[in-house]
Amino acid sequence: LIHPIEVLKEVRRVLKPGGKAIISQSNRCFPSKAIAMWLNMNDRQHLELINGYAKYAGFGPGIAYDITASVPAGEPNNDPMFIVEISK
């Protein structure tokens, strides 16, 4: 996402009052496409950055959820998956 604040401002503009937007973040990325700051952050910092973008776009504080799938013992771990819920 090249212009996250501008995109979130538009999301906020089209949402009805009380409307919600859900932003997902899985930490899967193409390093050649991500900014250096993102590559040097951990999952929590990614969520804080997303929440900061939402704040600058005019949203209130977001709520982050860890929705990483559970895997049976002995199976390879799944990638972490998070969502941030923001409301108008």
Side-chain angles (χ1 to χ4, degrees), residues 25 41-51 64 82:
Q25 185 265 316
M41 294 175 139
N42 62 35
D43 292 328
R44 181 183 177 99
Q45 291 167 325
H46 290 152
L47 297 170
E48 290 173 356
L49 179 63
I50 292 167
N51 198 46
F82 302 92

Side-chain angles (χ1 to χ4, degrees), residues 1-2 9-10 20-21 25-29 36 40 47 52 54 59 62-65 69-71 76 78 80 87:
L1 188 59
I2 298 172
K9 283 181 178 180
E10 181 64 8
K20 295 180 181 183
Q25 185 265 316
S26 69
N27 204 20
R28 283 257 180 154
C29 72
N40 293 317
L47 297 170
F59 287 94
I63 302 170
Y65 300 92
S70 299
V71 294
N78 285 338
S87 300

